[in-house]
Amino acid sequence: MAITRSEHLPDLESVHRELNRRLTHFMNSSEGGFPGMTFMPYAEIEETPKAVYLRLEIPGMEAKDLDVKLTEDSISISGERKSAARTKAIGMVRSELRYGKFKRVIPIPAKINRNQVEAEYHNGMLKLTLPKG
């Protein structure tokens, strides 16, 4: 019995390329993805008996451009990363950097003492210490 390739199923590599193309378009377009949002900072949260520690990776911004709001059950971090002005030059520019507004809301697993919250932003990393109350 001979094995023949079916022409009805595309090869896996072309399916992978097409999926990547569509997802990239979806996340970069104003019609798809999250309207007005161009990137989402990565976060890491750690809870200890005394505090909740939150780290967000937000490179390319200054602390003054970040807005942090604490509610009873979550914390909201938002801002806007603006692109630098470019002069037109001969040649092609390809940029994979993300610019624009973002907002990240993270549920907080414990009651927080709002008067002792500490924030530090250094080298693109926002570190929040949220003491339990």
Side-chain angles (χ1 to χ4, degrees):
M1 173 181 224
I3 297 176
T4 59
R5 180 181 171 141
S6 171
E7 296 301 319
H8 298 289
L9 296 174
D11 65 79
L12 192 55
E13 186 177 331
S14 66
V15 170
H16 185 255
R17 271 195 313 271
E18 180 64 14
L19 182 59
N20 278 340
R21 186 187 68 76
R22 288 180 185 227
L23 285 174
T24 299
H25 175 73
F26 175 77
M27 294 306 291
N28 289 334
S29 73
S30 59
E31 300 102 35
F34 304 100
M37 308 285 224
T38 56
F39 72 98
M40 186 69 61
Y42 293 112
E44 179 178 275
I45 189 167
E46 178 184 354
E47 182 180 7
T48 67
K50 293 185 178 186
V52 174
Y53 300 94
L54 180 61
R55 294 176 3 126
L56 280 97
E57 190 177 59
I58 313 173
M61 296 189 66
E62 294 183 34
K64 68 179 180 64
D65 296 326
L66 298 173
D67 185 30
V68 179
K69 293 182 181 170
L70 182 64
T71 66
E72 194 160 314
D73 59 353
S74 67
I75 190 160
S76 168
I77 299 96
S78 60
E80 182 175 4
R81 186 163 54 192
K82 297 178 181 173
S83 65
R86 292 186 189 154
T87 58
K88 290 192 176 194
I90 299 173
M92 184 179 105
V93 174
R94 175 182 172 164
S95 177
E96 294 181 353
L97 301 177
R98 302 286 181 126
Y99 298 100
K101 295 179 182 178
F102 72 89
K103 182 175 184 178
R104 181 84 194 253
V105 179
I106 299 171
I108 300 297
K111 185 169 171 65
I112 300 302
N113 183 341
R114 300 171 72 91
N115 298 325
Q116 295 182 348
V117 171
E118 295 177 16
E120 176 187 340
Y121 182 74
H122 184 67
N123 288 338
M125 189 66 68
L126 175 62
K127 298 176 184 177
L128 299 167
T129 301
L130 310 166
K132 292 182 178 180

